PDB file of all heavy atoms in Angstrom:
ATOM      1  N   ASP A 737      -9.374 -45.802-127.260  1.00  0.00           N
ATOM      2  CA  ASP A 737     -10.680 -45.779-127.847  1.00  0.00           C
ATOM      3  C   ASP A 737     -10.773 -46.706-129.045  1.00  0.00           C
ATOM      4  O   ASP A 737     -11.881 -47.160-129.351  1.00  0.00           O
ATOM      5  CB  ASP A 737     -11.030 -44.349-128.342  1.00  0.00           C
ATOM      6  CG  ASP A 737     -11.205 -43.411-127.150  1.00  0.00           C
ATOM      7  OD1 ASP A 737     -11.449 -43.954-126.017  1.00  0.00           O
ATOM      8  OD2 ASP A 737     -11.246 -42.187-127.366  1.00  0.00           O
ATOM      9  N   GLN A 738      -9.675 -47.000-129.709  1.00  0.00           N
ATOM     10  CA  GLN A 738      -9.776 -47.816-130.912  1.00  0.00           C
ATOM     11  C   GLN A 738      -9.032 -49.184-130.861  1.00  0.00           C
ATOM     12  O   GLN A 738      -9.261 -50.055-131.659  1.00  0.00           O
ATOM     13  CB  GLN A 738      -9.156 -47.001-132.104  1.00  0.00           C
ATOM     14  CG  GLN A 738      -9.884 -45.790-132.382  1.00  0.00           C
ATOM     15  CD  GLN A 738      -9.267 -45.020-133.590  1.00  0.00           C
ATOM     16  OE1 GLN A 738      -8.211 -45.396-134.088  1.00  0.00           O
ATOM     17  NE2 GLN A 738      -9.921 -43.917-133.950  1.00  0.00           N
ATOM     18  N   PHE A 739      -8.223 -49.378-129.780  1.00  0.00           N
ATOM     19  CA  PHE A 739      -7.484 -50.632-129.669  1.00  0.00           C
ATOM     20  C   PHE A 739      -7.866 -51.388-128.392  1.00  0.00           C
ATOM     21  O   PHE A 739      -8.001 -50.782-127.360  1.00  0.00           O
ATOM     22  CB  PHE A 739      -5.974 -50.393-129.668  1.00  0.00           C
ATOM     23  CG  PHE A 739      -5.324 -50.036-131.027  1.00  0.00           C
ATOM     24  CD1 PHE A 739      -5.214 -48.687-131.414  1.00  0.00           C
ATOM     25  CD2 PHE A 739      -4.995 -51.011-131.896  1.00  0.00           C
ATOM     26  CE1 PHE A 739      -4.706 -48.399-132.577  1.00  0.00           C
ATOM     27  CE2 PHE A 739      -4.454 -50.732-133.138  1.00  0.00           C
ATOM     28  CZ  PHE A 739      -4.346 -49.392-133.475  1.00  0.00           C
ATOM     29  N   THR A 740      -7.948 -52.754-128.503  1.00  0.00           N
ATOM     30  CA  THR A 740      -8.280 -53.561-127.476  1.00  0.00           C
ATOM     31  C   THR A 740      -7.331 -54.778-127.485  1.00  0.00           C
ATOM     32  O   THR A 740      -7.044 -55.302-128.538  1.00  0.00           O
ATOM     33  CB  THR A 740      -9.733 -54.099-127.506  1.00  0.00           C
ATOM     34  OG1 THR A 740     -10.582 -52.950-127.462  1.00  0.00           O
ATOM     35  CG2 THR A 740     -10.103 -54.954-126.341  1.00  0.00           C
ATOM     36  N   LEU A 741      -6.863 -55.156-126.299  1.00  0.00           N
ATOM     37  CA  LEU A 741      -6.123 -56.476-126.207  1.00  0.00           C
ATOM     38  C   LEU A 741      -7.016 -57.458-125.610  1.00  0.00           C
ATOM     39  O   LEU A 741      -7.690 -57.185-124.577  1.00  0.00           O
ATOM     40  CB  LEU A 741      -4.907 -56.234-125.294  1.00  0.00           C
ATOM     41  CG  LEU A 741      -4.099 -57.413-124.921  1.00  0.00           C
ATOM     42  CD1 LEU A 741      -3.414 -58.043-126.269  1.00  0.00           C
ATOM     43  CD2 LEU A 741      -3.074 -57.165-123.889  1.00  0.00           C
ATOM     44  N   VAL A 742      -7.081 -58.624-126.166  1.00  0.00           N
ATOM     45  CA  VAL A 742      -7.873 -59.773-125.658  1.00  0.00           C
ATOM     46  C   VAL A 742      -6.939 -60.922-125.467  1.00  0.00           C
ATOM     47  O   VAL A 742      -6.194 -61.387-126.299  1.00  0.00           O
ATOM     48  CB  VAL A 742      -8.983 -60.234-126.641  1.00  0.00           C
ATOM     49  CG1 VAL A 742      -9.734 -61.359-126.074  1.00  0.00           C
ATOM     50  CG2 VAL A 742      -9.950 -59.094-126.913  1.00  0.00           C
ATOM     51  N   THR A 743      -6.851 -61.370-124.151  1.00  0.00           N
ATOM     52  CA  THR A 743      -5.995 -62.458-123.798  1.00  0.00           C
ATOM     53  C   THR A 743      -6.951 -63.493-123.156  1.00  0.00           C
ATOM     54  O   THR A 743      -8.046 -63.162-122.699  1.00  0.00           O
ATOM     55  CB  THR A 743      -4.907 -62.110-122.739  1.00  0.00           C
ATOM     56  OG1 THR A 743      -5.563 -61.663-121.562  1.00  0.00           O
ATOM     57  CG2 THR A 743      -3.994 -61.069-123.367  1.00  0.00           C
ATOM     58  N   GLY A 744      -6.532 -64.814-123.232  1.00  0.00           N
ATOM     59  CA  GLY A 744      -7.348 -65.827-122.542  1.00  0.00           C
ATOM     60  C   GLY A 744      -6.813 -67.198-122.767  1.00  0.00           C
ATOM     61  O   GLY A 744      -5.615 -67.383-123.136  1.00  0.00           O
ATOM     62  N   PHE A 745      -7.675 -68.166-122.658  1.00  0.00           N
ATOM     63  CA  PHE A 745      -7.350 -69.621-122.845  1.00  0.00           C
ATOM     64  C   PHE A 745      -8.475 -70.212-123.693  1.00  0.00           C
ATOM     65  O   PHE A 745      -9.604 -69.733-123.743  1.00  0.00           O
ATOM     66  CB  PHE A 745      -7.109 -70.305-121.540  1.00  0.00           C
ATOM     67  CG  PHE A 745      -8.277 -70.175-120.532  1.00  0.00           C
ATOM     68  CD1 PHE A 745      -9.245 -71.059-120.529  1.00  0.00           C
ATOM     69  CD2 PHE A 745      -8.265 -69.003-119.648  1.00  0.00           C
ATOM     70  CE1 PHE A 745     -10.237 -70.960-119.601  1.00  0.00           C
ATOM     71  CE2 PHE A 745      -9.289 -68.868-118.744  1.00  0.00           C
ATOM     72  CZ  PHE A 745     -10.315 -69.897-118.704  1.00  0.00           C
ATOM     73  N   SER A 746      -8.058 -71.328-124.345  1.00  0.00           N
ATOM     74  CA  SER A 746      -9.075 -72.004-125.170  1.00  0.00           C
ATOM     75  C   SER A 746      -8.877 -73.476-125.296  1.00  0.00           C
ATOM     76  O   SER A 746      -7.822 -73.996-124.875  1.00  0.00           O
ATOM     77  CB  SER A 746      -8.906 -71.419-126.656  1.00  0.00           C
ATOM     78  OG  SER A 746      -7.608 -71.664-127.139  1.00  0.00           O
ATOM     79  N   ALA A 747      -9.866 -74.132-125.778  1.00  0.00           N
ATOM     80  CA  ALA A 747      -9.843 -75.637-126.063  1.00  0.00           C
ATOM     81  C   ALA A 747     -10.383 -75.787-127.499  1.00  0.00           C
ATOM     82  O   ALA A 747     -11.274 -75.159-127.985  1.00  0.00           O
ATOM     83  CB  ALA A 747     -10.697 -76.344-125.072  1.00  0.00           C
ATOM     84  N   MET A 748      -9.717 -76.694-128.262  1.00  0.00           N
ATOM     85  CA  MET A 748     -10.117 -76.906-129.680  1.00  0.00           C
ATOM     86  C   MET A 748     -10.155 -78.432-129.953  1.00  0.00           C
ATOM     87  O   MET A 748      -9.318 -79.243-129.376  1.00  0.00           O
ATOM     88  CB  MET A 748      -9.077 -76.257-130.565  1.00  0.00           C
ATOM     89  CG  MET A 748      -9.511 -76.308-132.022  1.00  0.00           C
ATOM     90  SD  MET A 748      -8.243 -75.335-132.930  1.00  0.00           S
ATOM     91  CE  MET A 748      -9.250 -75.137-134.468  1.00  0.00           C
ATOM     92  N   SER A 749     -11.100 -78.830-130.828  1.00  0.00           N
ATOM     93  CA  SER A 749     -11.157 -80.196-131.341  1.00  0.00           C
ATOM     94  C   SER A 749     -11.123 -80.090-132.835  1.00  0.00           C
ATOM     95  O   SER A 749     -11.772 -79.234-133.386  1.00  0.00           O
ATOM     96  CB  SER A 749     -12.470 -80.834-130.787  1.00  0.00           C
ATOM     97  OG  SER A 749     -12.647 -81.994-131.442  1.00  0.00           O
ATOM     98  N   PHE A 750     -10.352 -80.923-133.480  1.00  0.00           N
ATOM     99  CA  PHE A 750     -10.230 -80.900-134.889  1.00  0.00           C
ATOM    100  C   PHE A 750      -9.619 -82.229-135.438  1.00  0.00           C
ATOM    101  O   PHE A 750      -9.150 -83.041-134.741  1.00  0.00           O
ATOM    102  CB  PHE A 750      -9.290 -79.751-135.373  1.00  0.00           C
ATOM    103  CG  PHE A 750      -7.889 -79.867-134.850  1.00  0.00           C
ATOM    104  CD1 PHE A 750      -6.877 -80.426-135.668  1.00  0.00           C
ATOM    105  CD2 PHE A 750      -7.522 -79.469-133.590  1.00  0.00           C
ATOM    106  CE1 PHE A 750      -5.550 -80.511-135.242  1.00  0.00           C
ATOM    107  CE2 PHE A 750      -6.196 -79.647-133.119  1.00  0.00           C
ATOM    108  CZ  PHE A 750      -5.258 -80.113-133.976  1.00  0.00           C
ATOM    109  N   VAL A 751      -9.878 -82.503-136.733  1.00  0.00           N
ATOM    110  CA  VAL A 751      -9.260 -83.633-137.371  1.00  0.00           C
ATOM    111  C   VAL A 751      -8.014 -83.163-138.029  1.00  0.00           C
ATOM    112  O   VAL A 751      -7.930 -82.179-138.790  1.00  0.00           O
ATOM    113  CB  VAL A 751     -10.216 -84.278-138.416  1.00  0.00           C
ATOM    114  CG1 VAL A 751      -9.537 -85.408-139.190  1.00  0.00           C
ATOM    115  CG2 VAL A 751     -11.525 -84.675-137.758  1.00  0.00           C
ATOM    116  N   ASN A 752      -6.870 -83.745-137.629  1.00  0.00           N
ATOM    117  CA  ASN A 752      -5.527 -83.358-138.099  1.00  0.00           C
ATOM    118  C   ASN A 752      -5.219 -83.795-139.570  1.00  0.00           C
ATOM    119  O   ASN A 752      -6.060 -84.524-140.174  1.00  0.00           O
ATOM    120  CB  ASN A 752      -4.393 -83.633-137.113  1.00  0.00           C
ATOM    121  CG  ASN A 752      -4.106 -85.092-136.993  1.00  0.00           C
ATOM    122  OD1 ASN A 752      -4.296 -85.887-137.971  1.00  0.00           O
ATOM    123  ND2 ASN A 752      -3.560 -85.493-135.874  1.00  0.00           N
ATOM    124  N   SER A 753      -4.101 -83.430-140.072  1.00  0.00           N
ATOM    125  CA  SER A 753      -3.684 -83.802-141.427  1.00  0.00           C
ATOM    126  C   SER A 753      -3.529 -85.243-141.614  1.00  0.00           C
ATOM    127  O   SER A 753      -3.480 -85.712-142.698  1.00  0.00           O
ATOM    128  CB  SER A 753      -2.392 -83.081-141.749  1.00  0.00           C
ATOM    129  OG  SER A 753      -2.521 -81.690-141.595  1.00  0.00           O
ATOM    130  N   PHE A 754      -3.415 -86.024-140.547  1.00  0.00           N
ATOM    131  CA  PHE A 754      -3.259 -87.470-140.620  1.00  0.00           C
ATOM    132  C   PHE A 754      -4.549 -88.165-140.425  1.00  0.00           C
ATOM    133  O   PHE A 754      -4.645 -89.408-140.218  1.00  0.00           O
ATOM    134  CB  PHE A 754      -2.200 -87.939-139.596  1.00  0.00           C
ATOM    135  CG  PHE A 754      -0.893 -87.313-139.738  1.00  0.00           C
ATOM    136  CD1 PHE A 754      -0.498 -86.292-138.965  1.00  0.00           C
ATOM    137  CD2 PHE A 754      -0.044 -87.710-140.806  1.00  0.00           C
ATOM    138  CE1 PHE A 754       0.743 -85.654-139.140  1.00  0.00           C
ATOM    139  CE2 PHE A 754       1.212 -87.112-141.001  1.00  0.00           C
ATOM    140  CZ  PHE A 754       1.626 -86.050-140.133  1.00  0.00           C
ATOM    141  N   ASP A 755      -5.649 -87.420-140.479  1.00  0.00           N
ATOM    142  CA  ASP A 755      -7.047 -87.973-140.403  1.00  0.00           C
ATOM    143  C   ASP A 755      -7.345 -88.461-139.021  1.00  0.00           C
ATOM    144  O   ASP A 755      -8.060 -89.450-138.869  1.00  0.00           O
ATOM    145  CB  ASP A 755      -7.342 -89.013-141.484  1.00  0.00           C
ATOM    146  CG  ASP A 755      -8.688 -88.789-142.052  1.00  0.00           C
ATOM    147  OD1 ASP A 755      -9.375 -87.832-141.818  1.00  0.00           O
ATOM    148  OD2 ASP A 755      -9.124 -89.638-142.887  1.00  0.00           O
ATOM    149  N   VAL A 756      -6.696 -87.885-137.949  1.00  0.00           N
ATOM    150  CA  VAL A 756      -6.880 -88.328-136.576  1.00  0.00           C
ATOM    151  C   VAL A 756      -7.625 -87.231-135.731  1.00  0.00           C
ATOM    152  O   VAL A 756      -7.181 -86.082-135.878  1.00  0.00           O
ATOM    153  CB  VAL A 756      -5.539 -88.657-135.947  1.00  0.00           C
ATOM    154  CG1 VAL A 756      -5.637 -88.940-134.413  1.00  0.00           C
ATOM    155  CG2 VAL A 756      -4.879 -89.827-136.669  1.00  0.00           C
ATOM    156  N   GLN A 757      -8.606 -87.587-135.013  1.00  0.00           N
ATOM    157  CA  GLN A 757      -9.270 -86.646-134.114  1.00  0.00           C
ATOM    158  C   GLN A 757      -8.201 -86.088-133.126  1.00  0.00           C
ATOM    159  O   GLN A 757      -7.537 -86.837-132.419  1.00  0.00           O
ATOM    160  CB  GLN A 757     -10.417 -87.276-133.400  1.00  0.00           C
ATOM    161  CG  GLN A 757     -11.208 -86.288-132.643  1.00  0.00           C
ATOM    162  CD  GLN A 757     -11.926 -85.227-133.379  1.00  0.00           C
ATOM    163  OE1 GLN A 757     -12.576 -85.554-134.419  1.00  0.00           O
ATOM    164  NE2 GLN A 757     -11.783 -83.984-133.013  1.00  0.00           N
ATOM    165  N   SER A 758      -8.122 -84.774-132.979  1.00  0.00           N
ATOM    166  CA  SER A 758      -7.169 -84.191-132.157  1.00  0.00           C
ATOM    167  C   SER A 758      -7.729 -83.105-131.300  1.00  0.00           C
ATOM    168  O   SER A 758      -8.757 -82.577-131.531  1.00  0.00           O
ATOM    169  CB  SER A 758      -5.998 -83.559-133.004  1.00  0.00           C
ATOM    170  OG  SER A 758      -5.373 -84.484-133.839  1.00  0.00           O
TER     171      SER A 758
END
Side-chain angles (χ1 to χ4, degrees):
D737 289 343
Q738 297 180 356
F739 285 95
T740 302
L741 174 65
V742 177
T743 62
F745 53 93
S746 61
M748 185 176 199
S749 171
F750 62 99
V751 175
N752 70 25
S753 300
F754 301 102
D755 223 8
V756 173
Q757 185 66 47
S758 299

